[in-house]
Amino acid sequence: MGQACCCFQVDQSTVGIEERCGKFVQVLGPGCHFVPCCIGLKVSGVLTLRVQELDIRCEAKTKDNVFVTVVVSVQYRACQESAQDAFYKLSRPREQIKAYVFDVLRASVPRLKLDDVFEQKNDVAKNVAEELGKAMKNYGYEIVQILIVDIEPDESVKQAMNEINAAARTRLATIEKAEGEKVLEVKRAEADAASKHLAGKGVALQRQAIVDGLKASVVSFSESVPGTSTRDVIDMVLMAQYLDTIKEIGSSCKNSTVFIPHGPGALRDVADQIRDGLLQAADTSSSFKLNA
């Protein structure tokens, strides 16, 4: 912008306001204009058409009685076709814009809870843009964009929100840990049940094998040594196993002390007891096989 010898220069993206004796004449576009002062013409001022930005901090109370500071960025510009209104109707457009933003925010935020303010900030910005756009259009200004760039609750409210979030995550972690431990316990129980089932089968098969082995030994010895009864063969086999057991107990260094009646006269009683026990086991096993 410059003026010399009744010539006035208007820069790009600006307009000049020409007056004659204090009365509006026309809007001067970018370029060089002849404005003769001798007939009362003059350029009383220039108006920029560039987009301007205004940051506004507004404190408001939410529906759940939490005070928050909302930071709004307003982007606006003067309209070239309404440059006369923009130049003459408002002396302080920035203060006027700020007042309208305050009015709309303090009417919109109290309808929302704190969480909803964060989630619906775009809707709040849209409301501000609509109301502010209608109001400023009458003064020759266009609202280009409204941005809510920050929402700042009180520091104590922030801390409380963080604690709530932390407690919720801790609760979720505890539930997940408990579920994991539950799965481990179930798997351990299933493994233990399967192990006991297999061990039971093994014991049953072991006892059946012992019975079958004794039976085969009795038959073979009776056929090899004529004149021996089945009872004599069983007594000999049982006594051999009994003596082997005594030997094994004595040679082990990790066993506990075991008291058993032992003597030459007691061998017959021990043999009778062992034989009766094995015969009962064999009968039980045979009954089990028949039932199966």
Side-chain angles (χ1 to χ4, degrees), residues 21-279:
C21 299
K23 183 179 179 180
F24 173 76
V25 177
Q26 64 178 339
V27 176
L28 302 178
C32 186
H33 302 273
F34 178 70
V35 184
C37 301
C38 58
I39 59 175
L41 291 176
K42 71 171 184 176
V43 176
S44 60
V46 293
L47 184 68
T48 179
L49 301 180
R50 294 186 178 93
V51 176
Q52 303 180 66
E53 186 174 10
L54 174 62
D55 291 332
I56 303 171
R57 298 177 64 88
C58 176
E59 186 179 37
K61 185 179 73 170
T62 63
K63 188 176 181 180
D64 46 356
N65 298 322
V66 178
F67 282 91
V68 294
T69 300
V70 183
V71 182
V72 181
S73 178
V74 180
Q75 298 176 355
Y76 67 99
R77 66 183 175 187
C79 300
Q80 185 171 359
E81 60 273 13
S82 303
Q84 180 183 354
D85 293 336
F87 187 80
Y88 287 105
K89 286 187 176 181
L90 284 179
S91 60
R92 295 189 299 172
R94 297 173 69 88
E95 296 299 324
Q96 190 72 18
I97 291 173
K98 187 180 295 186
Y100 276 108
V101 170
F102 272 59
D103 181 66
V104 177
L105 283 179
R106 287 174 177 170
S108 301
V109 174
R111 300 174 186 172
L112 303 173
K113 293 183 178 180
L114 179 60
D115 293 338
D116 296 334
V117 173
F118 284 94
E119 294 175 1
Q120 303 179 25
K121 69 174 186 176
N122 291 334
D123 296 336
V124 175
K126 184 178 179 181
N127 293 336
V128 175
E130 290 177 355
E131 296 296 328
L132 186 59
K134 293 177 183 178
M136 297 305 295
K137 186 177 182 180
N138 297 327
Y139 300 105
Y141 284 91
E142 175 191 2
I143 303 301
V144 179
Q145 185 74 27
I146 298 290
L147 300 174
I148 296 181
V149 296
D150 198 6
I151 300 173
E152 302 175 354
D154 186 78
E155 202 60 41
S156 59
V157 176
K158 288 183 181 180
Q159 184 177 357
M161 293 174 66
N162 290 334
E163 290 177 356
I164 292 173
N165 191 16
R169 292 181 180 276
T170 302
R171 178 175 175 273
L172 181 61
T174 303
I175 293 175
E176 293 295 333
K177 182 179 179 181
E179 289 293 333
E181 292 178 353
K182 176 182 176 182
V183 172
L184 289 176
E185 290 297 329
V186 170
K187 292 300 181 182
R188 289 194 188 101
E190 292 176 353
D192 186 59
S195 175
K196 290 181 178 178
H197 179 69
L198 294 175
K201 284 186 175 181
V203 172
L205 293 174
Q206 181 185 17
R207 291 176 179 175
Q208 183 63 42
I210 293 174
V211 171
D212 293 340
L214 288 175
K215 179 179 177 181
S217 299
V218 170
V219 172
S220 177
F221 193 87
S222 298
E223 292 176 352
S224 300
V225 183
T228 57
S229 64
T230 303
R231 181 183 180 88
D232 295 333
V233 176
I234 292 176
D235 289 342
M236 292 180 62
V237 172
L238 294 179
M239 290 308 301
Q241 291 181 347
Y242 174 75
L243 294 174
D244 290 339
T245 302
I246 295 298
K247 180 179 179 182
E248 183 177 354
I249 292 175
S251 62
S252 177
C253 59
K254 295 182 179 180
N255 57 357
S256 302
T257 302
V258 179
F259 294 95
I260 47 178
H262 182 69
L267 293 178
R268 174 62 61 181
D269 294 336
V270 173
D272 292 340
Q273 293 176 13
I274 295 175
R275 181 180 62 253
D276 293 341
L278 290 176
L279 291 176

Side-chain angles (χ1 to χ4, degrees), residues 1 8-17 27-31 33 46-50 80:
M1 180 186 69
F8 189 84
Q9 177 184 329
V10 179
D11 297 333
Q12 186 65 35
S13 297
T14 59
V15 293
I17 305 299
V27 176
L28 302 178
H33 302 273
V46 293
L47 184 68
T48 179
L49 301 180
R50 294 186 178 93
Q80 185 171 359

